Amino acid sequence: MDNFYVAPGSPTDGSDYLCKASALEGKVRAAAIRSTNLVKRAFAIHGTSPVATAAFGRFLTGTLLIADTLKSDGDSLTANIRSDGPLQGMTAVADNRGNVRGYCLSPIVPTGYLRPGKLDVGAAVGKGKLTIVKDFGLKEPYVGSVELVSGEIAEDFTYYLAASEQTPSIVSLGVSIDAEGVTHAGGFMIQLMPGADEETIEYLEKRVSGGFPEVSYLLGEGMSPEQILDMFLGDENICYLSGQKVQYECNCSRDRMERNLLTLGTKDLFDLSQDANGIDLECHFCDKKYHFSCDEVKALLAGASKKA
């Protein structure tokens, strides 16, 4: 790959990554992502049906793009869709290190098509709400919520950014699937900076309405996130700022599961401690299972009782 098309920090080994750029005389900030491997992993974990895989893959990718604004370790962004379509909803959690995890409420749904080869994601999602929670470690997190405009995910993130964060944006997301599973996934986000003029706005509107190819197709043609931004923005002076690997990564652990049990309270813990076989907990995000024996639950109960 031409070194011009490699942002500082971007991997060149085929890994998933997100790159950031500035263009059009600093009037636009942009980010693009290749998320093929992480969407494949999400599919392997959750066993989603084709249209659910497309929706969930777009959702995970879009969440990482939105989480690009997180600055500090410990910051997190949680995106939730709750809707009336067969998918019912999805949750994704991302941090500032390029990690994302999530789950679908109904991972297996009927497969519908808008046209041959084009999955009907909007019908699977249906009508509902998109809620974004940004936790910066302060007393209260930032919460924004909007009605879904199409259920196609990219348009819904675009509307959220404009309505809830007052940031005019373009979001494009894509997941390609064949008989073997996920082949390509990715997306990009273009945002106007304060002070962007009408000429810049009109230029971007023309780019959007000009039949720009789907991002999953471009990835399939071998283009990198940097090259996709270059192609869309058409700015010979585009400045690539940084690149960062992204991955599907769950942070669950036995300690976290213990803390979850303790939040139940002593009464519920006592009821659970009566099962001689112990209890099994399963992580929604990665399907990992944790077994707690009867004695272990009783020990947790004893500790909780002392603190009460």
Side-chain angles (χ1 to χ4, degrees):
M1 188 191 301
D2 190 326
N3 286 336
F4 174 77
Y5 291 115
V6 181
S10 290
T12 57
D13 60 358
S15 301
D16 288 345
Y17 70 97
L18 181 149
C19 76
K20 304 177 190 179
S22 175
L24 303 179
E25 299 178 339
K27 298 169 186 174
V28 164
R29 71 180 296 273
I33 183 174
R34 180 171 63 211
S35 54
T36 305
N37 293 324
L38 73 86
V39 174
K40 284 182 177 180
R41 183 162 186 232
F43 166 72
I45 290 170
H46 297 287
T48 44
S49 61
V51 72
T53 300
F56 191 39
R58 293 181 193 177
F59 191 58
L60 292 170
T61 304
T63 298
L64 279 168
L65 286 170
I66 303 295
D68 176 48
T69 57
L70 300 176
K71 302 299 182 186
S72 304
D73 289 347
D75 291 355
S76 67
L77 182 148
T78 301
N80 283 296
I81 283 179
R82 294 296 179 264
S83 57
D84 63 3
L87 201 61
Q88 296 187 316
M90 300 174 285
T91 293
V93 183
D95 60 26
N96 75 320
R97 299 182 301 280
N99 299 312
V100 69
R101 62 190 188 276
Y103 62 88
C104 297
L105 292 181
S106 296
I108 309 295
V109 298
T111 300
Y113 293 88
L114 284 169
R115 58 182 183 275
K118 182 66 173 178
L119 290 162
D120 193 350
V121 171
V125 174
K127 298 178 181 179
K129 283 190 175 183
L130 167 64
T131 301
I132 303 290
V133 180
K134 293 183 178 180
D135 188 346
F136 302 109
L138 304 174
K139 190 172 183 181
E140 295 293 335
Y142 168 82
V143 181
S145 184
V146 295
E147 297 290 328
L148 297 176
V149 293
S150 70
E152 291 287 334
I153 311 302
E155 295 170 3
D156 303 303
F157 277 124
T158 299
Y159 179 60
Y160 161 79
L161 288 166
S164 190
E165 298 194 4
Q166 290 75 53
T167 306
S169 307
I170 298 165
V171 180
S172 177
L173 304 168
V175 176
S176 293
I177 301 170
D178 65 12
E180 301 299 319
V182 177
T183 57
H184 301 285
F188 65 83
M189 178 175 68
I190 312 296
Q191 296 187 307
L192 290 172
M193 298 298 287
D197 52 29
E198 285 298 321
E199 183 180 354
T200 302
I201 295 171
E202 290 176 5
Y203 175 76
L204 291 175
E205 287 176 346
K206 287 180 181 178
R207 300 298 291 169
V208 171
S209 60
F212 191 74
E214 293 187 1
V215 65
S216 53
Y217 168 80
L218 296 176
L219 290 167
E221 291 297 299
M223 294 185 71
S224 69
E226 287 93 340
Q227 290 171 317
I228 290 171
L229 288 181
D230 179 64
M231 181 178 177
F232 181 83
L233 291 167
D235 179 5
E236 63 181 13
N237 295 315
I238 186 171
C239 178
Y240 297 115
L241 303 174
S242 64
Q244 180 185 46
K245 284 189 177 183
V246 294
Q247 52 275 320
Y248 190 101
E249 189 71 36
C250 184
N251 64 350
C252 73
S253 65
R254 190 171 183 82
D255 286 343
R256 281 179 176 270
M257 289 298 178
E258 285 185 1
R259 291 197 294 270
N260 290 341
L261 283 172
L262 290 171
T263 63
L264 296 176
T266 55
K267 182 181 182 304
D268 288 337
L269 272 178
F270 175 79
D271 292 340
L272 292 173
S273 71
Q274 301 307 297
D275 189 336
N277 295 319
I279 59 172
D280 292 296
L281 301 181
E282 183 175 312
C283 176
H284 286 304
F285 297 108
C286 67
D287 283 352
K288 187 174 181 180
K289 295 175 176 59
Y290 295 86
H291 178 75
F292 290 85
S293 68
C294 177
D295 288 341
E296 287 172 326
V297 178
K298 287 180 178 179
L300 288 173
L301 174 62
S305 299
K306 287 180 182 179
K307 294 179 181 178

